[in-house]
Amino acid sequence: MPCAPARRATSVTAVGLGLVLAFAAPPPATAATGDVRVRVAVTGGPYTASVGLVSTSARNLLGGFYCAADGLGATPLTALVDADEQYGLGGVEARWDAAAQDFTVTSIHGDAATSTKKWNAYVNEEKITKGPCHTAIKGGDKIRWTLEAAAPATGTSTSTSTVERPPRHRRDR
């Protein structure tokens, strides 16, 4: 019979340890729920930067407009603004385009867009085709903002330039 109390003590100890572990605080999270971690770079102007991992998620930006791909996901613009806040890129300015229902980046680190050059975003070296708040990004993506020559305005023609057109999509039959 001496074995019975020993087993009981073991089971109580196991239950007690289980309770302690159940009420223990989880380890602190390094990113909030919904955050993704991406790399951000800025090129094309006098200021060039490539920063470490940036935690970003859908949120209100620059004047309170909600910026989220499909209403939930992080975007190239949230990544840029978060990179500025986390690493100090020198400021990001953008204006809300009511017609497009999206932002247009007008300046990064004082390098301003003009009538002849504009800020374009690339995700994994592919130029985005939607606005910067309508393009989804995922963890591990590389986001690059580049100040580059603006396409000529529609309706203007010159003998030496061509208007870049979006790629045509084939329909599956």
Side-chain angles (χ1 to χ4, degrees):
M1 290 275 176
C3 290
R7 280 190 209 160
R8 180 175 225 148
T10 303
S11 63
V12 170
T13 304
V15 169
L17 181 59
L19 287 172
V20 169
L21 292 175
F23 291 108
T30 56
T33 303
D35 279 6
V36 296
R37 293 181 179 275
V38 297
R39 297 212 178 264
V40 177
V42 177
T43 63
Y47 176 76
T48 299
S50 182
V51 298
L53 287 174
V54 174
S55 293
T56 189
S57 63
R59 66 188 186 99
N60 289 335
L61 293 178
L62 310 167
F65 292 99
Y66 190 63
C67 185
D70 302 324
L72 301 170
T75 70
L77 186 56
T78 61
L80 177 65
V81 171
D82 287 332
D84 182 43
E85 291 175 0
Q86 293 168 32
Y87 291 95
L89 299 179
V92 173
E93 295 177 17
R95 68 174 170 75
W96 178 254
D97 183 342
Q101 290 294 295
D102 211 334
F103 285 97
T104 299
V105 174
T106 57
S107 176
I108 301 172
H109 191 79
D111 296 339
T114 66
S115 61
T116 59
K117 55 186 179 175
K118 68 180 227 172
W119 284 104
N120 289 310
Y122 292 79
V123 177
N124 299 323
E125 298 307 319
E126 294 287 328
K127 187 175 181 179
I128 65 171
T129 57
K130 300 179 195 174
C133 283
H134 291 106
T135 301
I137 61 174
K138 61 187 181 318
D141 282 348
K142 294 178 182 175
I143 314 303
R144 179 172 49 94
W145 284 87
T146 302
L147 186 61
E148 54 194 15
T154 306
T156 61
S157 63
T158 63
S159 58
T160 59
S161 65
T162 59
V163 175
E164 195 175 306
R165 298 177 195 263
R168 297 179 75 170
H169 298 285
R170 287 188 340 190
R171 274 183 20 171
D172 293 330
R173 295 179 188 216

